[in-house]
Amino acid sequence: GVTMDTVKVIADSIGIQGLPDEACREMGDEITFRLRTLAQNAQKFMFHGRRNKLLPEDIDHALKVQGQEPLYGFRAIEHLPFRSSSGGGRELHFLEDKELDLNELINAQLPKIPMTPSIRAHWLAI
């Protein structure tokens, strides 16, 4: 589940300082319950879709069932290669971005200016 330390780190990151331990423990339990319920509902959509792989759409449907706003913009067909790094007693997972050479970007030729927009009538779409 979500630990008390995790809740404190998240609270500190959004500017809430000095959250009592009992409040952190209760919030951790509540977050764990909500995430578990969401995962179970998403799993139901996966089973009813006769699939063995949980998709982001299943999570979106589970969020809609719970009356929450679905997540927009995350559609990954392939596996996302997360890298792991640990230090200072914490573990961090991240996507590795390729390094860009700024001199190459600055000296690159600019793309062509797009044509001006135009509207054309078609006999099927009048």
Side-chain angles (χ1 to χ4, degrees):
V2 178
T3 63
M4 183 174 63
D5 294 332
T6 304
V7 173
K8 282 189 175 188
V9 167
I10 293 171
D12 288 341
S13 71
I14 61 172
I16 300 173
Q17 304 292 329
L19 206 58
D21 289 346
E22 184 61 30
C24 291
R25 191 175 358 270
E26 289 296 323
M27 287 177 67
D29 292 342
E30 182 68 21
I31 292 167
T32 301
F33 171 74
R34 300 279 179 171
L35 288 174
R36 203 168 272 147
T37 304
L38 178 68
Q40 289 171 351
N41 286 340
Q43 188 178 27
K44 289 177 188 176
F45 282 102
M46 179 186 74
F47 287 144
H48 287 293
R50 293 184 174 87
R51 287 180 272 108
N52 294 326
K53 185 177 180 182
L54 188 70
L55 299 176
E57 290 84 16
D58 298 326
I59 304 258
D60 286 344
H61 293 308
L63 284 168
K64 285 180 188 176
V65 165
Q66 291 180 351
Q68 301 293 325
E69 187 78 15
L71 301 172
Y72 294 108
F74 186 79
R75 301 285 184 254
I77 305 295
E78 71 282 346
H79 170 70
L80 295 175
F82 281 100
R83 297 216 30 215
S84 177
S85 176
S86 60
R90 294 186 180 171
E91 192 170 332
L92 176 68
H93 298 277
F94 60 94
L95 289 172
E96 188 170 9
D97 293 329
K98 67 176 189 175
E99 293 183 15
L100 298 175
D101 184 19
L102 291 179
N103 288 328
E104 185 179 311
L105 288 175
I106 291 172
N107 296 329
Q109 189 176 19
L110 295 174
K112 294 191 324 187
I113 298 175
M115 295 175 48
T116 58
S118 62
I119 298 176
R120 184 175 67 126
H122 192 274
W123 67 274
L124 283 176
I126 292 181

